[in-house]
Amino acid sequence: MTSERPENGRIPPVTIAPALVDPTFVLLFSLNLKSALQDFGFLPEGTTLLPLPRADDYLARLATLETRLLGRTFRAAGRLRRVPLGRIVLDGLTGDAPHHADVYLLAHTSQVALWEVWLPAPSQRFDAGRWIGWLDAESEDGLIAQLWRTLGPVTAAMTGAPTWTGLYFCVTCLYAPHDTLDALIERHGADFVHLLFLDRGRRAFKARLVTEELNRDYCAHEGGMTLLGRRSGLDVHGCNDLDREAAADLPPRHTLPFLITLELLLIERAVLARLYRCLSVRMPESVEELLTLKQEVLDALEEYYGAITNATRFSDAITTDGERLLDLDDLYDAVMDRLDAVSFTITTRYQKRMTLLQFWLTVVLGATEIGFIASGIAIWYYRQALVAVLGWTVGASVVSGLILVLVLRGRLE
């Protein structure tokens, strides 16, 4: 806090310096893979990536937390697989911007995936406007554009598209080593909401809106705050958060439960979106193919139920609000409506097939029966002329069949 000497008896305004924080940014990009991920050991030519330091420690830490949040049964099913890709060096940015990006791939058995990108930045003064600029996916010379110069070829090899094909979501993690959470909120409460909304306009929000958003806090630990929006999340921890553990070259531990829950929500959304596209575009002709498609959809919909975390105060609250913010309920209802349409198509085509089958059986049996009657009459008149009897039989069958087709076809239509 600084002040100036009074001039003309007036007290100059007090200037409060922004808090010093350690920022880390997590970027999540949704992908649609060309096929289920079996082995991720390839990289396109010309891609330069450094090995990820302590990746095994990070994966082991995540595995422990996933078991705690999701349960052993879910992890044992093996529907999710996390693969370390490597470290991308970022050049040409400002000195306080992230210098590198650590990239992981979270792949699901239903051919959807997420790029999980960790971007630690040096310690710096709080500046929401600058960070929002870094997180802007539309900036042609920003952080994400430089990141995708390396990720683009890898993504194209895996998905057929040079960029992400679904949702882009970001999480900002802030740790203030010299300020408590209350002090941070007092200084930068409105900035937190701007950062949560990724609002570059910087027009002042109403105090009521800021209070409502800050009160929607999911963190259960003293000294921490976790917020969730439609396009981003915010995880803030002050120096009074005793649960925080700092480790070099590892993502902050306190953010991981929030990240795991959020990633599951994004996987759910990607699965549902893929199912909706599949049901909207693909409509097989045969009943057998329709039944196969319906079974595939039902199997994939199990992920919507299976990815719901165990009922803890933290994960349950985020899951409930996250489904609303990410429109998962509406997307799920849309998938079920499309599935009902497929079921209706299956029933309609099956009934049409059975009706046609009954129609032709009626024609064949009716014509055959009339042919037998005609043959009996012909035998009585033409005892020795077998050709005449055969002609009467075939002729009566054909004529009666044509008459039945004309009569029944009109009623069928």
Side-chain angles (χ1 to χ4, degrees):
M1 180 180 298
T2 61
S3 60
E4 301 177 358
R5 297 183 61 181
E7 297 180 3
N8 300 327
R10 296 181 179 180
I11 299 178
V14 177
T15 303
I16 302 177
L20 182 67
V21 295
D22 299 332
T24 301
F25 307 96
V26 188
L27 310 184
L28 301 171
F29 302 94
S30 181
L31 310 173
N32 289 306
L33 303 178
K34 291 189 292 187
S35 60
L37 182 67
Q38 299 297 332
D39 182 24
F40 188 70
F42 72 92
L43 286 176
E45 292 186 8
T47 304
T48 55
L49 291 168
L50 301 177
L52 275 175
R54 302 187 66 178
D56 292 339
D57 293 343
Y58 171 60
L59 296 178
R61 176 182 291 185
L62 271 180
T64 301
L65 289 173
E66 285 178 352
T67 302
R68 185 187 309 168
L69 282 174
L70 310 177
R72 296 184 182 278
T73 303
F74 183 85
R75 278 194 50 81
R79 299 180 67 85
L80 290 171
R81 180 185 175 193
R82 197 181 304 266
V83 182
L85 176 65
R87 172 168 287 184
I88 299 174
V89 177
L90 304 174
D91 299 320
L93 300 174
T94 60
D96 53 4
H99 299 155
H100 64 266
D102 293 341
V103 184
Y104 297 83
L105 179 71
L106 180 62
H108 187 261
T109 55
S110 64
Q111 300 180 24
V112 300
L114 294 175
W115 282 128
E116 175 192 313
V117 184
W118 287 88
L119 295 158
S123 296
Q124 56 194 273
R125 293 295 176 181
F126 191 103
D127 191 340
R130 181 171 70 246
W131 300 335
I132 292 171
W134 291 349
L135 300 174
D136 184 6
E138 303 300 326
S139 177
E140 297 182 356
D141 56 352
L143 186 65
I144 296 178
Q146 185 173 153
L147 175 67
W148 275 90
R149 292 190 186 104
T150 301
L151 272 187
V154 183
T155 303
M158 299 174 60
T159 67
T163 184
W164 65 93
T165 51
L167 188 67
Y168 158 61
F169 202 95
C170 59
V171 178
T172 302
C173 311
L174 301 175
Y175 172 64
H178 307 297
D179 292 274
T180 65
L181 179 64
D182 291 339
L184 288 173
I185 292 176
E186 183 178 357
R187 286 188 186 183
H188 304 294
D191 293 322
F192 287 154
V193 180
H194 281 282
L195 192 55
L196 182 66
F197 291 172
L198 298 180
D199 176 52
R200 302 196 67 175
R202 303 302 296 162
R203 294 183 62 185
F205 289 140
K206 292 182 178 180
R208 175 176 55 82
L209 174 65
V210 173
T211 301
E212 288 178 356
E213 293 298 327
L214 295 180
N215 286 339
R216 198 175 290 117
D217 178 17
Y218 302 101
C219 185
H221 296 132
E222 184 68 27
M225 180 176 66
T226 301
L227 305 177
L228 180 63
R230 289 188 177 275
R231 296 186 297 153
S232 69
L234 185 63
D235 194 49
V236 183
H237 293 264
C239 62
N240 56 329
D241 185 359
L242 301 180
D243 188 60
R244 183 183 188 276
E245 296 180 14
D249 295 324
L250 280 179
R253 185 186 187 92
H254 53 72
T255 304
L256 298 186
F258 177 45
L259 179 66
I260 292 172
T261 307
L262 181 59
E263 286 180 337
L264 284 177
L265 289 170
L266 295 177
I267 287 289
E268 285 179 31
R269 190 181 189 281
V271 169
L272 291 172
R274 180 178 175 275
L275 289 177
Y276 184 78
R277 287 192 301 271
C278 179
L279 291 171
S280 300
V281 175
R282 178 185 171 192
M283 187 60 68
E285 295 297 327
S286 68
V287 175
E288 290 75 14
E289 290 178 351
L290 284 170
L291 290 173
T292 301
L293 174 60
K294 183 176 181 181
Q295 186 59 49
E296 291 176 358
V297 172
L298 290 175
D299 291 342
L301 280 176
E302 287 296 324
E303 188 60 26
Y304 181 80
Y305 301 104
I308 302 300
T309 57
N310 294 332
T312 63
R313 180 204 176 277
F314 176 79
S315 61
D316 188 56
I318 291 183
T319 299
T320 300
D321 285 351
E323 289 178 344
R324 173 182 56 82
L325 292 170
L326 298 176
D327 296 325
L328 289 183
D329 290 337
D330 292 339
L331 189 54
Y332 176 78
D333 291 339
V335 171
M336 295 305 297
D337 289 341
R338 296 299 303 174
L339 187 59
D340 290 340
V342 171
S343 299
F344 177 77
T345 304
I346 292 174
T347 304
T348 303
R349 289 184 179 177
Y350 179 76
Q351 290 176 344
K352 182 178 180 181
R353 176 183 290 184
M354 294 303 298
T355 301
L356 289 174
L357 180 61
Q358 291 174 356
F359 169 78
W360 288 113
L361 283 175
T362 301
V363 171
V364 171
L365 293 177
T368 303
E369 185 66 23
I370 294 174
F372 278 126
I373 294 174
S375 67
I377 297 173
I379 290 173
W380 189 74
Y381 279 103
Y382 307 101
R383 296 180 182 274
Q384 303 300 324
L386 294 179
V387 175
V389 172
L390 182 61
W392 271 91
T393 303
V394 174
S397 297
V398 171
V399 171
S400 60
L402 291 174
I403 293 173
L404 287 172
V405 168
L406 292 174
V407 173
L408 295 178
R409 185 179 182 86
R411 294 193 176 186
L412 183 64
E413 292 177 351

